[in-house]
Amino acid sequence: MKFGYFDDVNREYVITNARTPWPWINYLGNEDFFSLVSNTAGGYSFFKDAKFRRITRYRYNNVPMDAGGRYFYIKEGDVIWNPGWKPTKTPLDKYECRHGMSYTRITGEKNGLEAELLMFVPLKTHAEIERLTFRNKTESKKTFKVFSFLEWCLWNASTDMENFQRNFSTGEVEIDGSVIYHKTEYKERRNHYAFYGVNSPISGYDTDRETFLGLYNGFEEPEAVLEGSSRLSHAHGWSPIASHSLDVTLEPGEEKSFVFTLGYVELNDDEKWESKGVINKAPAKAILSRFDTSEKVDRAFNELKAYWDDLLSIYSVKTDDDKLDRMVNIWNQYQCMVTFNMSRSASFFESGIGRGMGFRDSNQDLVGFVHQIPGRARERIIDIASTQFPDGGCYHQYQPLTKRGNNDIGGGFNDDPMWLIFGTVAYLKETGDFSILDEMVPFDNEKGTEVTLFEHLKVSFNHVIENLGPHGLPLIGRADWNDCLNLNCFSHDPNESFQTTENNTVGSKAESLMIAGLFSVCGKSYVALCEYLGKDDEARRASEFISKMDESVIKYGWDGEWYLRAYDFYGKKVGSKENEEGKIFIESQGWCAMAEIGKSEGMVEKSLDSTKKLLECEHGIVLNQPAFTSYVVEYGEISTYPAGYKENAGIFCHNNPWIIIAEALAGRGNDAWSHYAKICPSYTEEHSDLHKVEPYVYSQMIAGRDAAKPGEAKNSWLTGTAAWNWYAVSQFILGVRPYYDGLVIDPCIPSSCKGFKVTRRFRSGVYTIEVKNPDGAEKGVKTITLDGVVISGNKVPVLSGEHSVVVSM
Ligand code: BGC
């Protein structure tokens, strides 16, 4: 069952049934001011940091789900309705929600009155614009009232939900004409306020929640709206809100728009006040005046569209499969950008409070957006590297506002250092900007500790070889990529965190085959980089360690039909036929196969075959088999999840592309493709009722075959899956791969595919790459012509201007 459809021309997903199986959301904003918006206009806004600068309030654990947002109540006679259906849930004659590239347009219609709500954050603007357009579609005049509504958060989203003995006394607002200002804590330590204004005179306002709603009412029946008039409340403490009321009259056929602006302002200490107790409103007024007519809003909206046109023109494909084209050209790239902006902080599954930016997460996200915004990728790499420790270890997370490592979690995740190499190499291959390697970057943000970024890569590499276990394999530390495989945790106390507790570390023999494969892959690209830079000694030194690692994997990491997953604290095998549960895991198959360890001995093919045989199911590849059915104290969190969910035999989508890439490297295009299409959202759209979350973005997890409801997905939007699947499809299936000195063309496709065309902007050139596959090959390029001339090899050089490349498979 579907709840809408893709509109590829407008790059929108159009939801036609408001009762989606879960709120289907979108993100507004591209730089500093961000909002989440659901298909019923729920959600919230924040500035830069979803924890410390929450602008509007949201209740994650609310019943019903997704209550609170930017709501417009329309009262015509006795009928009260919302364009987005919620919260009144008055049945609409028409409903449509179009989620597009950084904007959402919700249209509702009731009794011949159409209300269209366009929401977006204009470029370089600290505000969300909400343009509400009414159309009278009847033959008679219409008179009605409109009430806006949003609820302020007291800035810190965490204390906002906890510290009520203080919170109920701090709230402060100012009302000036049609603008409501939220200034809680402004008089002391905050230098920022928020405002909500409309470009028209108002007939009333409310700023105190209980006065507007009534203490015994929910959002669905505000007393002021039921009565038809604002109560002119002025909030002093309790829960400040912002609501305007407007009286509207429309002649038959007439259309009228109102522009609401939700903005955020920061001021220097000496500019904070207009007079004692009165905030300086000049910066807010400047923002409001930029959007005080519908034409100005149109202009800003067109700029946003042009911004996305440009971003999405860097890589595009034309095949005969719409589902593939829309993922590659639109939604996968869009999701990568959102993931870059949010890391894992704010979605309908991430509360915006718990997690800062992940070291490994952010580096992986980079391969998803580096082609779109290389400048910001550069900045991100430097920020991340600045949180590294001198021994190459890293803080697992950092807070975006301060950019400092997060002490509560600390470090000790021994895969983390490798990801810095992974991210930096991706940046270098895309941009050719080697100057980044000479940037002076501190350790742990300490002044005076700066070394070059290249040195950071070197200490990252060394961190693995300085932390090897008894089999010469990398010690796992707290965990590797799988945060839930906690081999040194040994926790019996439910109040302990699996990620930060290490009850058993002394003498630990816990080693990770996932890190071994990761080290081999990233190490080899580190070697190639060193060679490219003429650092031959370093290349040689590194190569020796990689060969040793590969040997250790072959000797101690092979279980006969697949790669082991790990050795536990005691040195016992994890992910072996000898185990009763958790005999095989996906991560080490993906990484060791991508590293091609033991390829000539047939290990890679065997590992991929075992993955297919033992881990693949109808909805994707599960993480491990058999699932754990009881708690294994020496494994930690992985065995806490019910079978089939999350890291316990769920389809953890993030790691499926590792297999896809390994399959592509092995030349098995049909297998790579079938793994890809199973988890790719546009291919699961038909069973949206089962899948539950948005059919236009990847989710972190789909319930595996052991689960109660296989195929049901969770944790949509903020997942490394976006970047990894983008990387897999763009660079390994379609096979257009940036390298330091050119574009490598190396497709690996299903044999049924007769060809495709990729347009790729790379450095200062634009390449139109036409791939022809008349004989149904899966891999292998016979000839490549560049502007009509046959070239040798499969790398097209870096060129300026437009070029045509024709590839015969
Ligand atoms: C985390 C990743 C982790 C993955 C697997 C995700 O939720 O963001 O850092 O690698 O889970 O445990």
Side-chain angles (χ1 to χ4, degrees):
M1 182 186 173
K2 299 205 297 178
F3 295 81
Y5 60 92
F6 285 96
D7 175 348
D8 295 332
V9 175
N10 289 306
R11 299 191 185 121
E12 292 170 334
Y13 192 83
V14 189
I15 300 164
T16 49
N17 178 351
R19 290 175 182 265
T20 48
W22 183 257
W24 285 2
I25 71 162
N26 193 16
Y27 287 83
L28 317 178
N30 286 287
E31 289 122 0
D32 301 319
F33 188 108
F34 295 103
S35 302
L36 283 69
V37 55
S38 73
N39 60 304
T40 54
Y44 59 93
S45 304
F46 62 91
F47 184 75
K48 282 190 186 168
D49 189 314
K51 177 174 180 178
F52 291 116
R53 288 286 188 285
R54 189 74 67 94
I55 296 171
T56 52
R57 184 174 280 166
Y58 193 72
R59 295 166 182 77
Y60 273 91
N61 255 337
N62 199 68
V63 178
M65 174 66 199
D66 187 27
R70 60 298 270 161
Y71 290 143
F72 293 95
Y73 300 88
I74 298 157
K75 181 173 179 358
E76 189 184 8
D78 286 338
V79 184
I80 299 173
W81 59 285
N82 306 100
W85 181 57
K86 276 176 72 175
T88 60
K89 296 201 287 180
T90 303
L92 299 175
D93 301 332
K94 237 161 84 188
Y95 159 89
E96 184 187 84
C97 167
R98 289 179 173 260
H99 284 317
M101 303 289 103
S102 304
Y103 69 88
T104 288
R105 194 194 295 271
I106 296 178
T107 310
E109 192 180 314
K110 186 78 190 167
N111 299 332
L113 176 62
E114 184 185 88
E116 179 197 300
L117 174 61
L118 171 68
M119 293 161 279
F120 68 104
V121 173
L123 298 173
K124 308 214 176 321
T125 304
H126 297 168
E128 173 180 315
I129 300 302
E130 300 154 6
R131 182 174 66 189
L132 185 58
T133 304
F134 292 103
R135 293 182 191 99
N136 179 357
K137 296 175 130 184
T138 68
E139 302 295 315
S140 35
K141 185 167 163 170
K142 277 189 177 285
T143 307
F144 56 95
K145 283 180 180 288
V146 185
F147 296 81
S148 68
F149 172 81
L150 56 80
E151 189 178 7
W152 302 115
C153 180
L154 303 179
W155 302 117
N156 179 327
S158 182
T159 56
D160 184 66
M161 299 197 298
E162 296 163 2
N163 195 7
F164 303 109
Q165 61 81 26
R166 169 176 165 83
N167 295 353
F168 286 157
S169 294
T170 56
E172 288 190 288
V173 299
E174 278 183 40
I175 302 135
D176 182 28
S178 303
V179 191
I180 295 163
Y181 294 85
H182 177 225
K183 58 170 188 177
T184 300
E185 294 185 345
Y186 184 75
K187 77 175 167 312
E188 334 95 58
R189 296 175 299 174
R190 294 194 181 273
N191 65 345
H192 50 90
Y193 64 76
F195 60 91
Y196 194 41
V198 53
N199 69 337
S200 130
I202 54 176
S203 53
Y205 60 83
D206 271 295
T207 65
D208 177 66
R209 189 183 69 199
E210 269 67 59
T211 311
F212 178 73
L213 294 178
L215 182 60
Y216 298 100
N217 293 21
F219 297 131
E220 71 283 4
E221 44 178 6
E223 275 179 10
V225 179
L226 296 178
E227 274 168 17
S229 71
S230 299
R231 292 166 160 184
L232 312 182
S233 57
H234 191 126
H236 299 282
W238 300 111
S239 295
I241 58 154
S243 170
H244 312 87
S245 59
L246 305 168
D247 292 306
V248 188
T249 304
L250 288 182
E251 297 300 327
E254 198 189 346
E255 167 178 321
K256 243 183 218 168
S257 289
F258 299 92
V259 183
F260 291 82
T261 303
L262 166 65
Y264 171 89
V265 165
E266 264 177 18
L267 285 146
N268 294 329
D269 278 350
D270 55 343
E271 295 171 331
K272 278 174 74 169
W273 302 102
E274 203 169 285
S275 57
K276 184 154 169 77
V278 181
I279 61 175
N280 176 359
K281 301 183 182 67
K285 287 184 177 156
I287 297 179
L288 288 159
S289 72
R290 283 175 54 209
F291 306 103
D292 58 4
T293 67
S294 203
E295 292 68 37
K296 290 185 188 175
V297 171
D298 278 334
R299 233 172 292 141
F301 186 59
N302 289 336
E303 278 167 23
L304 181 68
K305 281 195 140 177
Y307 171 78
W308 274 105
D309 284 346
D310 180 58
L311 285 180
L312 295 177
S313 69
I314 298 167
Y315 191 124
S316 64
V317 71
K318 180 85 199 86
T319 68
D320 49 21
D321 180 351
D322 289 348
K323 293 190 171 93
L324 176 62
D325 291 3
R326 68 172 62 111
M327 283 318 292
V328 172
N329 298 339
I330 306 169
W331 292 99
N332 197 172
Q333 296 200 60
Y334 181 58
Q335 187 180 0
C336 286
M337 187 68 108
V338 170
T339 321
F340 157 69
N341 285 324
M342 300 289 131
S343 190
R344 305 292 175 273
S345 85
S347 73
F348 271 29
F349 297 88
E350 301 280 8
S351 64
I353 293 173
R355 299 168 71 170
M357 316 271 289
F359 192 96
R360 78 157 80 90
D361 294 343
S362 299
N363 273 303
Q364 292 174 83
D365 292 345
L366 226 121
V367 293
F369 67 84
V370 63
H371 63 295
Q372 297 184 320
I373 42 169
R376 297 183 73 193
R378 192 182 206 279
E379 186 187 329
R380 179 65 57 90
I381 290 171
I382 305 288
D383 286 351
I384 296 170
S386 308
T387 66
Q388 193 172 30
F389 303 120
D391 72 349
C394 322
Y395 280 108
H396 197 47
Q397 290 179 5
Y398 71 100
Q399 218 49 54
L401 261 193
T402 60
K403 296 191 174 177
R404 298 199 72 107
N406 192 339
N407 265 321
D408 303 341
I409 307 220
F413 296 77
N414 283 349
D415 64 314
D416 271 337
M418 281 300 102
W419 298 112
L420 184 63
I421 298 183
F422 180 80
T424 308
V425 163
Y427 172 79
L428 292 171
K429 287 182 178 168
E430 179 64 35
T431 61
D433 167 25
F434 290 93
S435 72
I436 191 176
L437 294 174
D438 300 326
E439 287 284 338
M440 297 302 283
V441 182
F443 289 111
D444 195 6
N445 280 296
E446 283 302 324
K447 271 218 168 62
T449 61
E450 291 81 359
V451 296
T452 62
L453 180 65
F454 183 82
E455 264 313 292
H456 279 265
L457 302 189
K458 192 168 168 185
V459 296
S460 294
F461 182 87
N462 291 347
H463 189 267
V464 172
I465 57 183
E466 284 160 9
N467 290 280
L468 297 178
H471 299 99
L473 297 166
L475 289 170
I476 197 167
R478 284 184 178 166
D480 58 26
W481 169 86
N482 190 334
D483 274 338
C484 300
L485 185 62
N486 318 111
L487 301 182
N488 299 313
C489 175
F490 290 84
S491 178
H492 288 288
D493 174 356
N495 295 322
E496 283 174 348
S497 145
F498 284 107
Q499 271 74 50
T500 55
T501 306
E502 289 177 284
N503 288 324
N504 253 349
T505 41
V506 182
S508 171
K509 296 177 181 160
E511 298 170 295
S512 160
L513 266 299
M514 182 268 157
I515 305 183
L518 174 70
F519 173 77
S520 184
V521 170
C522 296
K524 283 166 193 159
S525 52
Y526 176 67
V527 168
L529 173 65
C530 291
E531 282 167 352
Y532 191 80
L533 297 172
K535 295 181 189 282
D536 294 336
D537 290 347
E538 178 61 1
R540 224 166 298 126
R541 181 188 79 96
S543 283
E544 280 166 22
F545 284 111
I546 296 161
S547 305
K548 270 200 210 146
M549 183 69 76
D550 288 1
E551 279 162 30
S552 304
V553 173
I554 293 171
K555 211 158 152 198
Y556 301 112
W558 182 248
D559 199 49
E561 299 292 321
W562 56 82
Y563 302 99
L564 290 178
R565 175 62 177 89
Y567 283 94
D568 71 10
F569 177 85
Y570 306 103
K572 283 199 295 211
K573 291 175 186 171
V574 181
S576 157
K577 53 181 179 289
E578 295 166 18
N579 301 108
E580 255 178 49
E581 294 181 336
K583 287 176 189 291
I584 174 171
F585 285 72
I586 193 172
E587 302 97 322
S588 43
Q589 312 317 317
W591 281 99
C592 295
M594 279 195 280
E596 303 187 318
I597 301 176
K599 190 177 179 189
S600 51
E601 290 88 339
M603 292 180 184
V604 171
E605 297 237 334
K606 268 194 198 156
S607 146
L608 294 174
D609 288 342
S610 300
T611 302
K612 217 159 69 170
K613 193 167 128 206
L614 302 170
L615 296 178
E616 193 182 14
C617 73
E618 189 191 342
H619 303 284
I621 311 170
V622 302
L623 193 142
N624 58 296
Q625 275 296 295
F628 296 102
T629 52
S630 41
Y631 179 47
V632 186
V633 72
E634 52 276 54
Y635 292 0
E637 187 172 0
I638 188 167
S639 59
T640 64
Y641 287 111
Y645 293 97
K646 294 277 289 176
E647 281 90 339
N648 186 15
I651 298 156
F652 212 94
C653 300
H654 186 144
N655 51 40
N656 278 224
W658 301 344
I659 301 296
I660 298 169
I661 293 170
E663 290 283 8
L665 292 171
R668 307 184 347 165
N670 289 329
D671 292 322
W673 178 257
S674 79
H675 291 317
Y676 174 78
K678 276 194 175 169
I679 59 164
C680 183
S682 57
Y683 293 86
T684 63
E685 189 199 6
E686 291 296 335
H687 59 258
S688 289
D689 44 340
L690 167 66
H691 191 74
K692 213 164 172 159
V693 296
E694 299 89 337
Y696 38 93
V697 289
Y698 285 98
S699 45
Q700 180 210 54
M701 199 256 325
I702 303 172
R705 63 172 169 231
D706 304 289
K709 250 197 191 178
E712 185 185 73
K714 288 190 185 112
N715 306 1
S716 52
W717 282 101
L718 305 185
T719 160
T721 313
W724 271 101
N725 263 304
W726 167 251
Y727 187 50
V729 71
S730 64
Q731 299 201 22
F732 295 90
I733 294 179
L734 300 171
V736 179
R737 261 203 300 280
Y739 198 67
Y740 303 123
D741 57 355
L743 267 184
V744 174
I745 318 282
D746 183 24
C748 185
I749 52 180
S751 45
S752 57
C753 171
K754 292 286 167 251
F756 59 89
K757 203 177 191 171
V758 165
T759 307
R760 179 67 158 96
R761 224 158 79 203
F762 180 58
R763 317 268 173 97
S764 51
V766 181
Y767 301 80
T768 313
I769 303 159
E770 194 178 346
V771 175
K772 297 179 177 169
N773 188 29
D775 305 331
E778 290 177 72
K779 179 141 173 162
V781 163
K782 268 193 210 147
T783 57
I784 296 187
T785 63
L786 171 63
D787 298 324
V789 182
V790 178
I791 62 165
S792 75
N794 65 342
K795 196 190 323 162
V796 183
V798 175
L799 299 166
S800 305
E802 292 184 11
H803 299 278
S804 136
V805 179
V806 179
V807 181
S808 298
M809 291 184 67

